Amino acid sequence: MSGPWGHRQWRNILFAQDSWKIRRNITFNYGMSWEYSSPIYEVADRQVNINTYTGQLIFPGSGEYGRALYHSYKKQFNPNLGIAWSLNSKTVIRGAYRLSNFLEGTGANLRLTLNPPFFTESNITYDSTAPGRITTGFTDVVGAGDLTSKRSSPTALPFYQGRAWDLDLRPQMTNQFNFAIERELDKSTNVQVAYVGQRGTHLVIPHEANNPLPGVGPYASWAPINDRRPLFGPLPNVGNIALTESSGTSWYNALQLSGRRRMTAGLELLFQYTYSKTDTDGLGYYGCGGVNSEGAYWQDAYNRRGNYGPACFDVRHNFTTAGVFNIPFGKGQKYGAGSTKAMDLVLGGWNLNYNLSARGGFPVTILASTQNTNSGRAPRGNVRANRYQVLADPTTRNVDRWFGDVGAATFCAAGVNNGTCAYGIPALGDLGSAGVGTERAPGFFNLDTSFGKHFRITERQRIEFRAEMFNILNFVSWGPPGRDITAPASFGAIGSQINAPRNIQFALKYAF
């Protein structure tokens, strides 16, 4: 690296909003904002971009792309609308729509400052037609130069890793809309049913821009991986190019039910249930920890739609409930108000609390990872299996066989469909036909509780005791199962849990 680098950006927003009371019981809100996220430039112009269509290098200057090396976008007009309609004293209807824009920070390791000659990263890819040799060591890696450097010999392999930003990179557009009906059941209790949706377009995602193309004829006759890269001509010494572009999409649709009973007679209750579906074709830069979903890069760099499916955080059913119960016994309470001081000391001032969470499992994407070794069709990995039919629900599940009694004999050999197997290995040179998120990991369940008591000494002094029990049932919520059919011994095996074991703690507090 030539020294510390610093990116700069300006963000400006103009906003106007008003409300209109159409009738006594109907209020309409409306507004409009205009945002401008200036292109990100380096403070000392230490960066270079790559035109991934032509292989031309773009340097900071006063030309078409300026110092930031990609076009600016100035059409971030964002309307927002909302309405609240009181049908009567107990029922309210609400609806809203908003369009918003945001240019996320992108991957920190994919900035244009990390291109040669300002920074050099080497990563040589071999295949069966051009295998590496241990005697070569690291002598074929060059640690300096620029992206236009020529190969040292016709048989040399490309070693530079490039970064590029789409020349028309722009902020994502997020359309959010909801419709809800809220009803009061009594003075302390209300319920709500709502539809919530979100449509995202132009999501900023990483994309392999120099992905090797399929060869011609039988796989055995294909040219070496690096000779099949689309930018082999203008940039023969460049391997993978991580392109930051705004081409991702997402859909979220949810039915939400919720209710609340405000504190009455010492009892307060909350609950919420969500039935939802989230689909996307881009994992994004930050992904989902502890979830065996698809990778950040598409399996097929030339087929974005092939990666469209359940998002890594997609959950069909999600339920939470919580409650507080101040037991109404003792002085000043509904029951036992005339009890003796000794009885009040023992039975009065108790309270109970609970918090319960339960949800379904996250998606699991089935891989055939070793098939990436030879063909090079997916240099970023993420090669999926072929899917021939739905994997049968197992009669029994356990941590060693979450998908049931499946093993090597259950999976079809490379390029073979025997009519009975659910998954198979893609033939050499092919990519897997399975979509993302075709299976599901175990769900999640957790119950936390606590109880406490106030011991009043005088009017101004009291002692508070509390016992808190996290995961009181000591229920194990398992992590995602193994999902690589080229490693059948570990397929479906679970080796982790996503919640902590039971934990109990006590507290004593003196208030004066």
Side-chain angles (χ1 to χ4, degrees), residues 20 65 77 106 131 151 177 190 210 249 260 283 372 395 397:
W20 173 28
Y65 304 108
F77 294 95
T106 73
R151 296 193 185 188
F177 31 87
N190 65 286
N210 202 22
T249 60
R260 178 178 182 181
L283 180 67
N372 179 55
T395 55
R397 295 182 188 268

Side-chain angles (χ1 to χ4, degrees), residues 72-360:
S72 61
Y73 182 76
K74 300 180 179 178
K75 298 180 181 180
Q76 294 176 243
F77 294 95
N78 304 318
N80 66 87
L81 306 169
I83 189 169
W85 179 14
S86 298
L87 291 180
N88 51 52
S89 62
K90 294 182 177 293
T91 306
V92 177
I93 295 177
R94 300 182 180 91
Y97 166 78
R98 176 173 172 79
L99 174 63
S100 59
N101 298 94
F102 178 66
L103 180 61
E104 64 176 300
T106 73
N109 66 329
L110 300 186
R111 298 300 182 98
L112 302 181
T113 54
L114 300 180
N115 277 328
F118 307 106
F119 176 87
T120 301
E121 180 183 359
S122 297
N123 184 9
I124 295 177
T125 302
Y126 300 96
D127 66 3
S128 58
T129 62
R133 292 178 174 84
I134 194 171
T135 55
T136 303
F138 295 98
T139 59
D140 50 1
V141 175
V142 179
D146 60 55
L147 293 170
T148 59
S149 298
K150 302 299 181 183
R151 296 193 185 188
S152 58
S153 69
T155 60
L157 297 173
F159 55 84
Y160 282 143
Q161 299 294 291
R163 279 86 170 172
W165 279 23
D166 190 276
L167 302 179
D168 292 311
L169 185 69
R170 52 175 288 184
Q172 74 177 59
M173 297 180 64
T174 303
N175 293 271
Q176 297 172 307
F177 31 87
N178 61 75
F179 177 81
I181 300 176
E182 185 174 4
R183 174 74 176 180
E184 181 185 279
L185 301 182
D186 58 39
K187 293 295 184 180
S188 302
T189 309
N190 65 286
V191 295
Q192 178 176 280
V193 57
Y195 163 74
V196 176
Q198 179 171 296
R199 172 63 170 167
T201 59
H202 302 285
L203 306 182
V204 179
I205 60 173
H207 177 197
E208 175 49 53
N210 202 22
N211 202 91
L213 295 163
V216 178
Y219 171 75
S221 65
W222 286 13
I225 290 175
N226 295 301
D227 292 349
R228 291 185 273 118
R229 294 185 184 271
L231 298 181
F232 167 73
L235 298 173
N237 219 16
V238 176
N240 293 338
I241 297 177
L243 173 65
T244 296
E245 66 177 23
S246 46
S247 64
T249 60
S250 69
W251 258 111
Y252 172 77
N253 293 280
L255 172 66
Q256 298 180 352
L257 302 175
S258 62
R260 178 178 182 181
R261 176 182 172 83
R262 288 174 291 278
M263 184 66 73
T264 303
L267 179 65
E268 180 174 7
L269 295 174
L270 296 168
F271 84 88
Q272 179 162 344
Y273 168 73
T274 300
Y275 175 74
S276 65
K277 182 180 181 182
T278 308
D279 289 330
T280 185
D281 51 30
L283 180 67
Y285 291 94
Y286 307 109
C288 294
V291 177
N292 281 347
S293 62
E294 74 286 1
Y297 290 83
W298 307 329
Q299 175 190 228
D300 185 352
Y302 304 101
N303 180 15
R304 174 172 60 87
R305 293 293 301 176
N307 248 58
Y308 191 82
C312 62
F313 51 83
D314 175 62
V315 171
R316 289 290 181 272
H317 305 279
N318 198 330
F319 176 76
T320 60
T321 179
V324 177
F325 183 35
N326 293 323
I327 299 176
F329 186 91
K331 290 188 176 182
Q333 301 295 327
K334 184 176 181 180
Y335 303 103
S339 59
T340 64
K341 186 174 182 179
M343 181 177 291
D344 182 68
L345 184 66
V346 176
L347 301 179
W350 287 95
N351 63 82
L352 303 174
N353 302 270
Y354 78 93
N355 190 312
L356 183 149
S357 299
R359 61 161 173 77

Side-chain angles (χ1 to χ4, degrees), residues 388-432:
Y388 302 120
Q389 58 186 355
V390 176
L391 186 65
D393 288 334
T395 55
T396 59
R397 295 182 188 268
N398 56 54
V399 294
D400 297 316
R401 289 287 183 265
W402 175 253
F403 298 123
D405 190 18
V406 296
T410 312
F411 307 127
C412 285
V416 175
N417 179 7
N418 62 13
T420 61
C421 58
Y423 290 98
I425 299 172
L428 288 175
D430 290 342
L431 297 173

